[in-house]
Amino acid sequence: MLRHFILSLTLLFAISPFKSFAETYPIPLSLAQIDVLATLIWENEGAGKKEHLTVWNRNEDFPSMGIGHFIWYPTVKKGPYIEQFPALLDYITSNAVPVPKWLINAKTAPWKTREEFYREFNNEKLTQLRQLMQDTAALQAQFIIQRLEKGIPAILANSTKPQRVKINQSLDALKATPEGIFVLLDYINFKGEGTSDKEKYQGQGWGLKQVLLAMPEKTDNVLRSFALSADEMLTRRVKNAPRDELIWLKGWRVRIHHYPSLNITTSNIQ
């Protein structure tokens, strides 16, 4: 099955319109292949634990939900980071998955503070939400795939001609292996496209665009080069941040420096 996975990805990206930034490009994976991605993303974001499907990190103004820790703001006024959970919920319901009525009617996250969130952690709403997130892991992976499908053209459209040349060069190196494809999916979910002005400090972003641009032109280990580039961008973010974000950097580094040791084998789908 893994052999078919790698072959399908190789054929796909051989014809995939990375070079065109006016279109989306499809990633037609089988359900088994999507399960691989869902498992890896869940492990990266929440150690694969059910209780980590609903979290509210310290020093953050919002909870995060699902295998991808999708942001859900507790207020109508949104913060600087892109909110993804409402769109995920729409995607889940569009696939005819029944969800609790309270969740359908919730316009914002119903917990206004981190303290309130954890007081109610084992109550009905959060228990139901964790179960929904566990049951729809594959759909959440598909949602992230769709983000990448739209994200790469958006990144290219947001770039100058020389930048597009460099970005495509980095993409060509990454798309050659399933591990490189996973890195693209994981990082765009982790830190976004890098095209939003709201997701910049002192005019400098830390998203996928910035990481691809900072990669070296030649490398004998593309996953390690991506990880080092991501480390550089995230370190720059912390230095430019208007508040202290150093407490997060260690965890971010653990995540990205795991990329070079990725090995997608048949054990991932058994």
Side-chain angles (χ1 to χ4, degrees):
M1 186 175 293
L2 178 68
R3 188 174 300 169
H4 294 158
F5 176 41
I6 295 174
L7 178 59
S8 64
L9 288 171
T10 301
L11 292 173
L12 164 70
F13 284 104
I15 61 173
S16 178
F18 269 119
K19 299 296 190 285
S20 172
F21 56 87
E23 304 172 4
T24 60
Y25 63 92
I27 304 180
L29 304 178
S30 70
L31 293 178
Q33 294 159 358
I34 291 170
D35 283 342
V36 174
L37 298 176
T39 298
L40 290 171
I41 291 167
W42 189 355
E43 288 175 353
N44 263 7
E45 288 284 6
K49 295 181 179 180
K50 186 175 182 178
E51 61 264 34
H52 294 165
L53 291 172
T54 59
V55 300
W56 190 318
N57 294 321
R58 294 184 185 277
N59 300 315
E60 290 185 338
D61 300 323
F62 49 82
S64 301
M65 312 300 182
I67 65 169
H69 281 186
F70 306 102
I71 291 173
W72 193 13
Y73 284 109
T75 57
V76 175
K77 183 179 180 180
K78 309 305 179 184
Y81 310 122
I82 296 174
E83 184 181 51
Q84 286 281 301
F85 183 75
L88 170 66
L89 188 59
D90 288 343
Y91 184 73
I92 289 172
T93 56
S94 73
N95 279 272
V97 176
V99 303
K101 185 176 180 180
W102 71 266
L103 194 53
I104 295 176
N105 296 329
K107 302 302 181 184
T108 60
W111 312 275
K112 301 310 177 186
T113 65
R114 185 175 186 272
E115 291 71 24
E116 179 185 354
F117 180 86
Y118 281 106
R119 278 199 309 269
E120 299 183 14
F121 194 76
N122 293 313
N123 290 356
E124 184 179 34
K125 286 184 178 180
L126 281 168
T127 299
Q128 289 178 339
L129 182 51
R130 282 191 294 276
Q131 188 62 51
L132 177 65
M133 294 296 95
Q134 182 181 46
D135 294 342
T136 59
L139 275 178
Q140 293 170 64
Q142 290 176 332
F143 179 77
I144 294 170
I145 290 167
Q146 285 195 352
R147 183 174 185 179
L148 183 63
E149 288 176 340
K150 297 176 181 178
I152 293 297
I155 288 170
L156 294 172
N158 185 255
S159 303
T160 64
K161 186 175 180 179
Q163 286 177 330
R164 290 197 292 272
V165 171
K166 181 65 178 67
I167 289 168
N168 277 313
Q169 182 183 55
S170 298
L171 288 170
D172 286 342
L174 285 161
K175 71 188 182 185
T177 67
E179 290 82 6
I181 294 163
F182 167 75
V183 164
L184 291 170
L185 288 165
D186 187 67
Y187 197 86
I188 202 169
N189 178 67
F190 177 41
K191 290 302 176 192
E193 292 83 355
T195 58
S196 172
D197 288 336
K198 292 183 178 180
E199 294 188 332
K200 293 179 180 179
Y201 294 155
Q202 299 185 35
Q204 295 181 312
W206 52 80
L208 182 59
K209 173 183 175 178
Q210 287 77 31
V211 175
L212 294 172
L213 284 171
M215 289 178 65
E217 292 187 6
K218 295 182 179 180
T219 177
D220 57 1
N221 189 327
V222 67
L223 298 180
R224 183 172 183 271
S225 293
F226 185 95
L228 291 173
S229 177
D231 190 314
E232 181 183 351
M233 296 301 100
L234 293 173
T235 301
R236 185 178 71 181
R237 165 181 165 155
V238 170
K239 290 180 178 178
N240 289 342
R243 63 179 181 178
D244 185 10
E245 294 189 350
L246 187 61
I247 58 171
W248 295 331
L249 186 57
K250 181 179 179 181
W252 293 345
R253 283 174 168 164
V254 169
R255 177 176 185 150
I256 61 177
H257 287 292
H258 177 63
Y259 289 157
S261 63
L262 280 172
N263 183 22
I264 299 178
T265 68
T266 52
S267 63
N268 294 120
I269 55 178
Q270 290 177 346

